[in-house]
Amino acid sequence: MTDFDSLLELGWQPYFSTQLTREEAETLQPARVIEQHRCDAEVDTGEDRLLIPLLYSSPKMAVGDWVILSGPDKIGRLLDRKSLFTRKAAGTKVAPQLIAANVDVCFIVCSLNKDFNLNRIERYLSLAHEARVEPVVVLSKADLCDDPQAFVREVQELDPNLAVEAVNCLEVESTRRLHEWCSPGTTVVLMGSSGSGKSTLTNTLLGEEIQDTWEIRENDAKGRHTTTRRTLLPMPNGALILDTPGMRELQLADCEAGVNATFADIEAISLECKFNDCSHSSEPGCAIRDALESGELDPRRIKNYLKLMSEQAHNRATLYERRSHEKAFGKKIRRAQEEARLKKPR
């Protein structure tokens, strides 16, 4: 029988227990994906770590997923996710990319240097809200900033209920305030651009040098990719940290609810527009344009809202077209296989 107490340290929750049949709970082993490679996935059962080969028939997984093992090296099925972070794959590839699964808290790490960018923070917030995960904006490198609280107030204006903390990622005492979101069994994902301090923060929270770190470029404050893969790591207090590679290109897809939640103030005003399908550009009776002209809304914020809504809608349509094509192609293959089977002499 499965030792569920050992799974609690990996983030096991009642949400996953309710998905198991009595037979599965008594005879099969749940495990969590803690690292994924091109051809295999490393899973943790609470007692052992196993390397499972990924087959063509294997479900599409992300680090943080829970699976049921039907054998020592075989995945039986994937449990329903409590949360999932996805994006449109980078470049011209038309496909969704799974980033992290079953996360409870998202630390959005942004450094207080030339790379500070409210638009990017809103992009990550949209991703977190779409995944229904609590976001916390972590402003790193506060020791290199003359007035970090000014930046805290600037981010706080995006949403008065948003948690924002300015820290020095190298100091244990400075990062201790983040422990409020790192209770035992909680899974925390770190997201942000390269050079923002995610790996340094991860090492400080873990209490040891696990992740490699590099200096940023002085000319533009940009960083290099130091984290090259996603790995679930245990904190001394029982929480789990998932550091992610920096994402220079974070394209949103099918993220309308997340964008609306991030721009709740704009969304509320848009309900007063004369037309339900108002594009907030040239239609008469547009409440958004009225709020912009009166100074009630920030032009930068409206511009980014419209940009993200347009981007996610375009990528959603593109991904839907791809799925429809793959579905039709799959039907064609199955039909050809069935015809070949019927023509085969007995």
Side-chain angles (χ1 to χ4, degrees):
M1 183 175 291
T2 300
D3 179 10
F4 286 97
D5 288 338
S6 63
L7 293 179
L8 294 176
E9 298 179 0
L10 293 171
W12 184 262
Q13 299 175 12
Y15 177 84
F16 307 110
S17 298
T18 58
Q19 299 180 45
L20 302 182
T21 65
R22 176 175 294 184
E23 181 181 359
E24 286 176 330
E26 292 177 350
T27 62
L28 299 181
Q29 177 64 58
R32 195 168 195 190
V33 179
I34 59 174
E35 192 169 311
Q36 188 171 355
H37 311 281
R38 183 180 298 273
C39 299
D40 50 48
E42 187 174 352
V43 303
D44 196 327
T45 66
E47 298 178 350
D48 299 299
R49 289 194 174 190
L50 307 171
L51 204 60
I52 308 293
L54 295 178
L55 308 176
Y56 179 79
S57 58
S58 298
K60 291 183 178 180
M61 297 180 296
V63 174
D65 266 324
W66 283 97
V67 297
I68 301 297
L69 303 181
S70 57
D73 60 351
K74 185 177 181 182
I75 295 173
R77 70 182 180 95
L78 178 72
L79 294 184
D80 291 342
R81 296 165 174 131
K82 183 180 178 182
S83 62
L84 177 65
F85 281 86
T86 65
R87 68 164 178 172
K88 176 185 171 294
T92 58
K93 187 177 181 180
V94 182
Q97 180 184 10
L98 307 186
I99 301 173
N102 300 316
V103 169
D104 302 297
V105 179
C106 176
F107 285 170
I108 300 171
V109 185
C110 180
S111 57
L112 295 180
N113 56 18
K114 296 177 183 178
D115 202 39
F116 178 81
N117 189 306
L118 287 175
N119 285 2
R120 186 184 300 117
I121 291 175
E122 288 170 337
R123 184 175 288 268
Y124 280 106
L125 284 173
S126 298
L127 202 65
H129 286 136
E130 184 68 28
R132 298 190 297 277
V133 169
E134 180 182 6
V136 179
V137 177
V138 180
L139 302 178
S140 62
K141 306 180 184 180
D143 54 309
L144 303 179
C145 179
D146 293 333
D147 187 8
Q149 288 306 311
F151 287 92
V152 171
R153 291 190 294 270
E154 191 173 351
V155 176
Q156 199 81 69
E157 288 179 0
L158 302 179
D159 180 354
N161 297 317
L162 179 63
V164 185
E165 297 287 349
V167 303
N168 176 0
C169 294
L170 292 169
E171 290 185 358
V172 174
E173 191 60 37
S174 179
T175 60
R176 200 178 301 279
R177 68 192 71 169
L178 299 179
H179 286 207
E180 176 182 347
W181 294 277
C182 302
S183 57
T186 299
T187 300
V188 180
V189 65
L190 276 67
M191 292 191 176
S193 57
S194 300
S196 61
K198 298 189 306 300
S199 296
T200 301
L201 178 58
T202 297
N203 288 336
T204 303
L205 292 174
L206 292 174
E208 56 181 318
E209 295 290 324
I210 298 292
Q211 303 292 69
D212 293 330
T213 60
W214 294 84
E215 294 292 330
I216 62 171
R217 300 195 299 260
E218 293 184 3
N219 61 329
D220 59 3
K222 299 290 185 181
R224 289 178 285 179
H225 293 292
T226 55
T227 300
T228 57
R229 62 183 184 274
R230 300 174 180 88
T231 308
L232 201 59
L233 302 166
M235 281 180 62
N237 70 341
L240 298 109
I241 291 183
L242 175 54
D243 190 6
T244 61
M247 293 180 280
R248 295 198 190 281
E249 182 181 352
L250 179 60
Q251 285 273 320
L252 302 184
D254 202 6
C255 194
E256 182 176 358
V259 176
N260 284 336
T262 300
F263 299 88
D265 53 339
I266 297 178
E267 181 64 16
I269 293 175
S270 71
L271 297 177
E272 302 174 11
C273 289
K274 182 177 180 179
F275 301 105
N276 292 333
D277 59 348
C278 182
S279 66
H280 315 304
S281 57
S282 59
E283 295 90 339
C286 175
I288 294 295
R289 288 211 323 277
D290 292 342
L292 178 60
E293 293 173 0
S294 67
E296 182 181 354
L297 289 178
D298 180 5
R300 178 208 65 80
R301 190 161 163 77
I302 293 178
K303 182 178 180 181
N304 199 35
Y305 164 74
L306 295 176
K307 175 184 178 181
L308 295 183
M309 286 296 284
S310 175
E311 176 184 303
Q312 68 85 28
H314 171 76
N315 288 334
R316 176 179 58 194
T318 304
L319 292 175
Y320 177 78
E321 183 179 343
R322 173 192 168 95
R323 292 191 190 103
S324 298
H325 176 75
E326 290 178 342
K327 187 176 181 180
F329 183 71
K331 287 183 178 179
K332 184 177 180 180
I333 293 296
R334 288 191 295 272
R335 186 165 55 249
Q337 291 174 337
E338 179 64 18
E339 291 176 354
R341 186 184 67 81
L342 293 175
K343 293 179 180 178
K344 187 176 180 180
R346 297 182 180 180

